Amino acid sequence: MKVYILGAGAIGSLFGGLLAKAGVDVLLIGRDPHVKSIGERGLVIKGIINEEIRVNATTSIPKEKPDLIILSTKAYSTEDALNSAKDIVRETWVLSIQNGIGNEDKILRVGGKAIGGITTNGAILKEPGIVEWKGKGITIIGLYPQGHNEFVEEVAELFNKAGLETHTSDNIIGWIWAKAIVNSAINTIGSILEIKNGLIKDNQYLLSAAMEVIKEGCRIALQNGIEFEVPPMELFFQTLEQTKDNYNSMLQDLWRGKRTEIDYISGKIVEYGKYVNLEAPMNSLLWALVKAKEELRNNVWRKGK
Ligand SMILES: NC(=O)C1=CN([C@@H]2O[C@H](COP(=O)(O)OP(=O)(O)OC[C@H]3O[C@@H](n4cnc5c(N)ncnc54)[C@H](OP(=O)(O)O)[C@@H]3O)[C@@H](O)[C@H]2O)C=CC1
Ligand SMILES: CC(C)(CO)C(=O)C(=O)O
């Protein structure tokens, strides 16, 4: 199978590198200096494994279509990335392993065949050409919004062979929403207070606030016809336990002065609330506070540090 990784940053390079190591024909599409370094020295994956992997990498979109495109940009770059690659996306299988709600709908809008996904693997780009695999998690993929087919099974089998534990689901939209609802509580509260995930569980005020955020997200999802495989509240407690020593990814983006994915997490929950005439006061407030923190990062907030 020929696979392109569109948005080869931390998680995309991890997936692409492991697939290449397993003998899959992979092309990483990303940015310099990461791509340049991979061309010169190969891709280094550190942490869970320590390997130097030879894999093709480029900064431009090839003309030839692959069998599968794995979309791994941040959610705010999805539209641009898909538009820049629309000639190869059209009628091609595209699997999103991104966070947030709406990525797969954008794939469908440009004519791609969408596979949805969530992953609990953790990766960071240490420096150009070097990715650290920090946490071995699982990946769930499925035909978007629902259903299954042989190709999805084939992709899951390939991922498993590459060392990425992967399961398929007939209800991937339920998983995508459940993860977004969990992120809408942990990432926002953790970012505003600049705390590790575990503290949300250990502090009674934060815990009850976070649980109300989860309940609000669930009400909106259910009214929009989303069904869950695992209740988001259960996933929330599991995630807090498994990631208690982590600073969440939104907070890390803020610390690095980068844009966050808040519009595609809390912002989408608020938007979907409007479709079914449900207010989302908690998600609206958390969205506004994170947006404020994003805006302040380059002046008051950073200067005060
Ligand atoms: N890292 C992790 O452990 C996990 C991440 N995720 C999700 O996966 C997604 C990606 O996260 P992560 O890997 O951390 O993010 P990164 O920012 O490390 O990687 C995304 C990369 O895509 C590049 N990119 C954006 N647009 C294009 C384009 N048009 N062509 C080529 N490259 C492009 C970005 O470059 P530039 O910055 O210049 O735009 C960046 O290098 C997010 O939705 C995240 O929430 C999910 C689970 C775990
Ligand atoms: C699971 C969790 C909350 C881990 O920190 C995460 O998805 C994130 O940080 O974005």
Side-chain angles (χ1 to χ4, degrees):
M1 192 183 294
K2 194 181 191 62
V3 179
Y4 293 171
I5 309 288
L6 182 54
I11 202 78
S13 301
L14 174 70
F15 273 59
L18 291 173
L19 288 168
K21 181 172 166 281
V24 179
D25 180 2
V26 174
L27 176 68
L28 303 179
I29 306 172
R31 310 277 203 210
D32 280 333
H34 185 51
V35 163
K36 189 163 183 276
S37 174
I38 294 169
E40 287 167 2
R41 296 183 291 152
L43 173 74
V44 176
I45 300 182
K46 285 190 172 163
I48 308 270
I49 58 167
N50 277 291
E51 302 254 0
E52 200 182 293
I53 298 157
R54 283 277 148 201
V55 54
N56 295 319
T58 177
T59 54
S60 51
I61 308 290
K63 289 202 168 16
E64 193 195 340
K65 283 189 179 192
D67 301 296
L68 172 70
I69 297 173
I70 299 178
L71 182 60
S72 55
T73 64
K74 292 281 193 179
Y76 50 77
S77 301
T78 297
E79 210 147 19
D80 281 354
L82 288 172
N83 281 328
S84 71
K86 61 173 180 282
D87 291 342
I88 59 164
V89 165
R90 209 170 290 126
E91 287 169 26
T92 302
W93 287 109
V94 183
L95 160 64
S96 163
I97 51 168
Q98 303 156 287
N99 278 342
I101 294 166
N103 296 299
E104 293 78 5
D105 297 311
K106 290 174 184 159
I107 296 172
L108 293 175
R109 239 173 272 146
V110 292
K113 298 187 280 184
I115 304 173
I118 60 158
T119 184
T120 58
N121 281 286
I124 53 171
L125 203 57
K126 289 295 276 184
E127 52 187 272
I130 304 180
V131 170
E132 187 179 347
W133 189 5
K134 281 182 78 78
K136 199 168 185 168
I138 62 157
T139 301
I140 304 175
I141 64 172
L143 204 59
Y144 183 84
Q146 271 145 339
H148 69 273
N149 70 6
E150 267 178 33
F151 186 73
V152 170
E153 296 300 332
E154 207 184 309
V155 173
E157 202 181 309
L158 205 66
F159 282 13
N160 280 310
K161 271 195 197 133
L164 289 159
E165 184 186 336
T166 303
H167 306 272
T168 58
S169 167
D170 287 359
N171 179 23
I172 197 64
I173 196 167
W175 283 105
I176 293 167
W177 268 82
K179 188 169 189 209
I181 290 172
V182 169
N183 288 139
S184 76
I186 301 180
N187 294 31
T188 52
I189 293 173
S191 294
I192 293 158
L193 293 173
E194 299 189 35
I195 53 171
K196 288 187 176 171
N197 296 350
L199 214 78
I200 297 173
K201 177 174 57 73
D202 297 339
N203 180 290
Q204 58 174 319
Y205 305 106
L206 296 181
L207 183 61
S208 61
M211 286 173 71
E212 290 307 316
V213 178
I214 300 280
K215 286 185 211 159
E216 186 176 275
C218 288
R219 281 195 294 274
I220 288 171
L222 293 173
Q223 276 303 107
N224 275 282
I226 305 294
E227 286 171 14
F228 300 113
E229 297 302 302
V230 175
M233 194 64 85
E234 195 180 316
L235 207 59
F236 164 70
F237 281 104
Q238 267 175 28
T239 306
L240 284 181
E241 189 50 43
Q242 285 162 0
T243 67
K244 57 176 184 267
D245 295 323
N246 286 14
Y247 289 106
N248 77 73
S249 61
M250 193 173 279
L251 177 55
Q252 292 185 41
D253 285 341
L254 285 166
W255 277 340
R256 285 194 214 109
K258 288 185 72 175
R259 194 176 156 187
T260 72
E261 296 184 301
I262 189 72
D263 289 340
Y264 304 90
I265 300 172
S266 317
K268 281 286 169 189
I269 293 171
V270 174
E271 182 187 322
Y272 275 86
K274 288 187 183 141
Y275 298 150
V276 291
N277 290 321
L278 277 182
E279 303 248 310
M282 279 167 287
N283 276 281
S284 298
L285 177 64
L286 292 170
W287 171 83
L289 291 174
V290 172
K291 290 300 272 189
K293 207 153 176 169
E294 263 186 4
E295 205 172 287
L296 292 172
R297 70 188 168 206
N298 290 322
N299 42 67
V300 185
W301 180 57
R302 279 181 87 78
K303 278 184 194 148
K305 279 208 119 184

